[in-house]
Amino acid sequence: MVVSEWDQLKLHLQEWVEECRESSAAGKVAEYIPELSKAKPDLLGIHILDAQGRSISAGEAQDSFTMQSISKVFTLILALMDHGESAVFAKVGMEPTGDHFNSIMKLELVQPAIPFNPLINAGAIVVSSMIKGENAEAKSARILSFFRELAGNSNLEYDREVYLSESKTAHLNRSIAYFLLDKGVLGCGVEEVLDIYFRHCAIKVCCEDLARMALVLAFDGKDPLTGKTLIPRRYVQIAKTFMVTCGMYNGSGEFAIEAGLPAKSGVSGGILTLVPGRYGIGVVGPALNSKGNSIAGVQLIERLSQALDWSLF
Ligand code: GLN
């Protein structure tokens, strides 16, 4: 008897979660944003959603966490929808750095001085400064309502504690923003752009929200559950390409070899990934590896991809 992929998932997902959970012990919860250090290190959850609205979840998939860098994929898309490709890529590059996500090392290396890509902090800060709106509040409101639409969840909100915690301690991001201001690549002032950036990083989600957002990317911008096109296909193509080349920061190469899927991680331990034309997937596991990616989450996605032959390559 041939067991369908969906049945295989139903059969094994919980067991794979428990196996991968063990690797959390080798990781560390992010502490540089003090509020994130409260997360449970051995938590691991996953939610997988398909185009018919069928879902499978395992582990602590209901727990909520902040999007952090996962949000950068969607602010990039919104900036592209606001301004088009040539305006956005005049201010931010398309190349991986091979450096840590908050590194300032390469900022001075290129002329004009634009960040290497939109998924490192420097690039995402530039992107946040490009979102259209009257003022910081209006820009943040547009981002939140775009995210709510993509997640099919009108209740998405900021985690105020995490937002304040990052805002008070973000000396490195502040220095990056001042550098960008000096080079003339910021579309607004330092505190305004950081407020927008910290807010979208602090949008609170659960694995199901990430899976639904990922499903829209998996279906080229059309939400298969409503039939509504939310993002032009070209911008999804750009976002997915960045996810493959830079989505897991300086761990992107290894992840492409081991899992072969577009993915984006955040320091809260969240990972959004997808199987094109098939599934949207949200994962959370707060213990991080040295690259700032969820240690158990990475292992779980690699495990799934290898078991079910999902690699795109
Ligand atoms: N808000 C975080 C920061 O700027 C996002 C980083 C991340 O998730 N990798 O440091």
Side-chain angles (χ1 to χ4, degrees):
M1 193 186 74
V2 184
V3 182
S4 73
E5 183 172 282
W6 197 253
D7 286 338
Q8 257 180 289
L9 279 169
K10 278 208 278 202
L11 211 61
H12 296 294
L13 196 59
Q14 189 65 46
E15 157 199 331
W16 289 334
V17 163
E18 293 318 325
E19 276 171 30
C20 294
R21 192 194 294 278
E22 288 171 20
S23 66
S24 303
K28 231 172 154 289
V29 169
E31 285 172 347
Y32 76 100
I33 300 175
E35 198 62 25
L36 294 185
S37 68
K38 296 180 181 166
K40 227 174 116 225
D42 65 344
L43 181 145
L44 185 61
I46 180 166
H47 189 97
I48 304 176
L49 181 63
D50 79 358
Q52 285 79 50
R54 292 187 301 176
S55 65
I56 303 180
S57 56
E60 294 83 282
Q62 279 82 19
D63 282 38
S64 56
F65 51 94
T66 53
M67 289 181 83
Q68 298 302 331
S69 284
I70 298 169
S71 60
K72 295 170 180 174
V73 172
F74 301 99
T75 49
L76 169 67
I77 290 171
L78 189 56
L80 285 165
M81 287 164 70
D82 278 354
H83 302 279
E85 279 174 61
S86 50
V88 170
F89 295 118
K91 302 269 181 196
V92 64
M94 297 182 182
E95 304 303 335
T97 61
D99 299 329
H100 209 61
F101 62 84
N102 54 9
S103 176
I104 55 174
M105 215 151 57
K106 293 212 171 89
L107 284 181
E108 254 191 316
L109 290 187
V110 284
Q111 282 308 326
I114 60 171
F116 267 59
N117 71 68
L119 299 186
I120 52 168
N121 285 10
I125 290 169
V126 169
V127 167
S128 299
S129 82
M130 298 184 82
I131 302 301
K132 279 189 180 163
E134 286 273 287
N135 48 35
E137 216 181 304
K139 293 174 191 177
S140 287
R142 284 192 63 232
I143 294 172
L144 185 61
S145 87
F146 184 52
F147 284 28
R148 284 176 173 169
E149 190 170 28
L150 292 167
N153 181 355
S154 55
N155 294 321
L156 286 193
E157 267 305 341
Y158 308 108
D159 184 319
R160 205 178 143 68
E161 305 310 318
V162 174
Y163 157 73
L164 289 173
S165 178
E166 177 162 25
S167 184
K168 270 189 231 156
T169 53
H171 313 304
L172 191 49
N173 280 332
R174 258 187 195 91
S175 66
I176 290 173
Y178 274 107
F179 178 90
L180 296 168
L181 181 72
D182 182 72
K183 298 296 175 198
V185 275
L186 273 193
C188 60
V190 165
E191 287 308 321
E192 176 173 342
V193 71
L194 289 177
D195 193 67
I196 298 163
Y197 174 81
F198 299 147
R199 275 183 202 276
H200 67 69
C201 285
I203 292 175
K204 202 158 70 173
V205 290
C206 64
C207 290
E208 186 178 351
D209 297 315
L210 290 188
R212 183 78 185 268
M213 295 174 95
L215 194 69
V216 177
L217 302 183
F219 283 83
D220 294 328
K222 184 170 166 174
D223 182 342
L225 304 184
T226 60
K228 216 168 141 188
T229 296
L230 303 175
I231 307 168
R233 184 171 182 275
R234 171 67 181 155
Y235 300 154
V236 174
Q237 190 177 50
I238 292 172
K240 287 194 291 198
T241 312
F242 277 123
M243 288 165 77
V244 170
T245 57
C246 321
M248 306 298 276
Y249 304 112
N250 41 339
S252 299
E254 189 177 340
F255 188 82
I257 288 172
E258 300 299 335
L261 297 173
K264 183 74 206 83
S265 64
V267 280
S268 53
I271 303 177
L272 176 152
T273 188
L274 57 109
V275 184
R278 296 167 74 190
Y279 309 119
I281 302 174
V283 175
V284 64
L288 307 178
N289 61 22
S290 60
K291 314 274 167 79
N293 299 320
S294 168
I295 193 163
V298 165
Q299 207 179 87
L300 180 59
I301 297 165
E302 291 176 353
R303 181 73 183 258
L304 279 165
S305 179
Q306 287 166 15
L308 302 168
D309 197 18
W310 283 347
S311 173
L312 304 183
F313 303 108

